[in-house]
Amino acid sequence: MVEKIISFSLRNRFIVLLFAAAIFTWGIFSVQSSKIDAIPDLSENQVIVFTEWMGRSPQIIEDQITYPLVTNLQGLPKVKYVRANSMFGMSFIYLIFEDNVDVYWARARVLERLNTVGNSLPEGVSPTIGPDGTGVGHVLWYTLDAPGMDLGEQRAVQDWYIKFALQNVPGVSEIASFGGFQKQYQISIDPDKLSYYKLTIQDVMRAVKSNNNEAGGRKFEMSGIAYIIKTTGYLKSIEEIGNLPIKTQNSIPIKVSDIATVQMAGESRLGIFDYNGEGEVVGGIVVLRYGENANEVIKRVKAKMSEVSKGLPDGMKFTIVYDRGKLIEESISSIKTTLIEEMIVVSLIVMIFLLHWRSAISIIIQIPITIAASFIVLNAFDISSNIMSLTGIALAIGVIVDNGIIMAENSYKNLATRQAELNEQKKGGNSHVV
C-alpha cells in the first residue's frame, strides 16, 4: 500500500503539490478561525443547581433543601455522580455528566427534573440552575472607580445599568456582581409593641405582601368611550410602608409604623471586596459561555464597556483588575516566536547535514504545511489554541522533518547504489569491446 502511494506521488507530482497547497490554504483559514485561549478548559461537564433560603442554618438547608434535591436529581441519564454543599442560607448541587454529553442537553434534563421536585421543598423556595459557563470561565474582572460615591449607589449602578448592558455581549454567560451594599427596605419590629397589640410576625408579613401588588380591573364603556380600570399598589417609599394597616382594633387601624421602624439599608453581607488595601470597591466578573472564543469575547466586552462608560455618572470609570486577554496575547506570542525559531533552526540543520538545497527545501516545506494542517484537526475536535496545544506542535517540529530526512537519505542511498551498478556495467561493457 505504501509503495503504491509513493509510486503514485512520484508519477503525479503536480497533483501532490496541488493537494499540499489546498491543505496549506485550508490550514491558514483554520488558524484564523481557531479559538484562542491561554489555558485549556479541563473542567468537568457539570450543571450547578443553586437554591437560596436566607436565614436558615446549614443543617436546616441540608435537611430540607439539599437532601430532597439530591435524592430527586439522582438517576438522571448519563450522570456520573452528584456532589452537594450546604452553607448558611444557600445550597449548591453539582451534577457531573459524562464528557461526551452536550451541556445544553444536560441542562434541559436537569430543568425537567426540577419541575417535579417543587412539592418536596419548603414554600417559597425555588431552585435555579447556574450559568452555562465552565470552571475557567472568569475571563475579566473589573471594578468601578468612583471617588466620593456611596458604595450602595455604586452597586445600584452596577446591578441596574452596567450588568444588563454587558450581559447582552455575545458569548457572555453572566455578569456576577460583587462588593458594595444591595439596597433594601428593612422593617425592624419592636417585640414589645408587637406583643402589646397582640400581633404576630406573620400578620406583619401578610400585610406588607398583600399591599405590595397590582389589582386588575375591567373595561367598561360610557358615552361611547372605553375606560380601563386598574389600581397601582406597588410600594415606592418608606412612608408608604409605614402607613400600611396591619389590623383594626376598636375602629383604629394599627399601622406598620406603630410597631416597627422602616428604613432603607443594605442587605446583610458575608464578606467584602477590598482592592490593593485601598478600601472597598464594587465591580463585576465576566463569565464566558461554554465553548466560546475567549479572546473574541474579551474584545467585545471591552468595546461594550467603552459604550457603557458614556452613560456612567460623572467621575465614575472602569478599572480592569484581571484581563485574560493580555495573558492570551503574551502566551500566543511566546509560542509563535518559539515556533518560528524552531523552524529556522531545523531548516538550517537540515541544509547543513544534507548539503543539497533542493532536498533541504523539499523537507523544510513540510513544516508550515504540517503545522497548518494540525489546526484543521484542532478545529475538528473543537480544541482551542492554547499553551498546551501549541506547545505540543512546537515539540513535534523535530518529528515532522524526520520522515523527510529518512526518505531523502534512503533515496540518496538507493540512487548511489544504482549508480554504482550502472558504472560497473559500463566498465564491463567497455572492456569487452577492447
Side-chain angles (χ1 to χ4, degrees), residues 348-378:
L348 291 174
I349 291 175
V350 168
M351 295 186 70
I352 292 172
F353 275 84
L354 292 181
L355 294 176
H356 190 267
W357 68 272
R358 293 178 63 184
S359 300
I361 289 176
S362 65
I363 295 171
I364 294 169
I365 289 176
Q366 299 177 32
I367 299 176
I369 296 176
T370 307
I371 293 176
S374 63
F375 281 90
I376 300 174
V377 180
L378 290 178

Side-chain angles (χ1 to χ4, degrees), residues 299-331:
K299 292 179 180 178
R300 296 191 206 115
V301 170
K302 289 182 178 179
K304 191 66 175 180
M305 290 172 70
S306 300
E307 297 180 11
V308 173
S309 298
K310 300 176 182 179
L312 294 177
D314 294 336
M316 179 180 285
K317 62 181 181 180
F318 289 106
T319 300
I320 296 180
V321 179
Y322 166 72
D323 180 9
R324 193 189 293 178
K326 294 182 179 179
L327 179 61
I328 292 172
E329 292 176 0
E330 293 176 359
S331 302

Side-chain angles (χ1 to χ4, degrees), residues 27-270:
I28 295 297
F29 176 77
S30 299
V31 170
Q32 296 175 350
S33 60
S34 177
K35 297 178 182 178
I36 301 176
D37 204 342
I39 53 178
D41 185 5
L42 302 177
S43 59
E44 295 176 307
N45 192 2
Q46 68 177 4
V47 177
I48 302 174
V49 178
F50 168 71
T51 309
E52 189 175 24
W53 198 24
M54 297 308 297
R56 275 69 177 183
S57 66
Q59 187 60 49
I60 295 177
I61 294 293
E62 176 72 21
D63 296 338
Q64 299 192 33
I65 302 294
T66 304
Y67 180 76
L69 284 176
V70 169
T71 54
N72 281 278
L73 289 173
Q74 285 180 337
L76 284 173
K78 299 184 179 181
V79 171
K80 292 197 294 186
Y81 38 83
V82 180
R83 301 170 183 164
N85 184 24
S86 301
M87 59 182 65
F88 180 77
M90 292 177 286
S91 169
F92 293 89
I93 299 174
Y94 305 89
L95 292 98
I96 312 301
F97 286 82
E98 296 177 2
D99 294 335
N100 60 347
V101 175
D102 180 72
V103 64
Y104 295 105
W105 181 90
R107 292 168 67 87
R109 300 289 82 74
V110 173
L111 283 174
E112 289 178 359
R113 186 62 64 88
L114 287 178
N115 292 332
T116 64
V117 300
N119 296 331
S120 61
L121 300 178
E123 184 180 357
V125 175
S126 178
T128 58
I129 62 174
D132 52 344
T134 66
V136 294
H138 293 189
V139 295
L140 189 141
W141 290 41
Y142 65 87
T143 60
L144 300 178
D145 185 9
M149 183 177 290
D150 178 70
L151 290 174
E153 295 293 334
Q154 293 185 40
R155 183 59 184 263
V157 174
Q158 163 63 25
D159 288 342
W160 300 102
Y161 174 60
I162 298 174
K163 180 178 180 179
F164 295 149
L166 296 183
Q167 277 184 341
N168 290 326
V169 176
V172 173
S173 174
E174 182 190 28
I175 302 295
S177 302
F178 59 80
F181 296 90
Q182 292 181 275
K183 290 185 178 181
Q184 62 178 199
Y185 292 107
Q186 294 182 354
I187 301 176
S188 302
I189 299 175
D190 188 336
D192 296 329
K193 294 181 179 180
L194 197 69
S195 177
Y196 175 79
Y197 288 110
K198 298 179 181 180
L199 298 173
T200 63
I201 298 293
Q202 286 72 23
D203 293 332
V204 181
M205 294 174 61
R206 191 180 306 111
V208 175
K209 186 180 295 184
S210 61
N211 285 276
N212 185 36
N213 57 18
E214 293 276 353
R218 58 168 294 177
K219 184 184 75 170
F220 73 95
E221 295 185 5
M222 184 175 64
S223 300
I225 302 175
Y227 294 89
I228 298 177
I229 301 175
K230 71 167 188 172
T231 61
T232 302
Y234 287 124
L235 299 173
K236 299 179 180 179
S237 64
I238 295 175
E239 291 75 15
E240 291 182 359
I241 298 175
N243 292 328
L244 293 178
I246 303 173
K247 190 176 181 181
T248 301
Q249 293 183 358
N250 299 325
S251 301
I252 299 175
I254 301 172
K255 298 181 292 186
V256 172
S257 58
D258 295 331
I259 55 93
T261 301
V262 184
Q263 60 185 357
M264 175 76 76
E267 186 179 356
S268 300
R269 302 190 297 171
L270 300 177

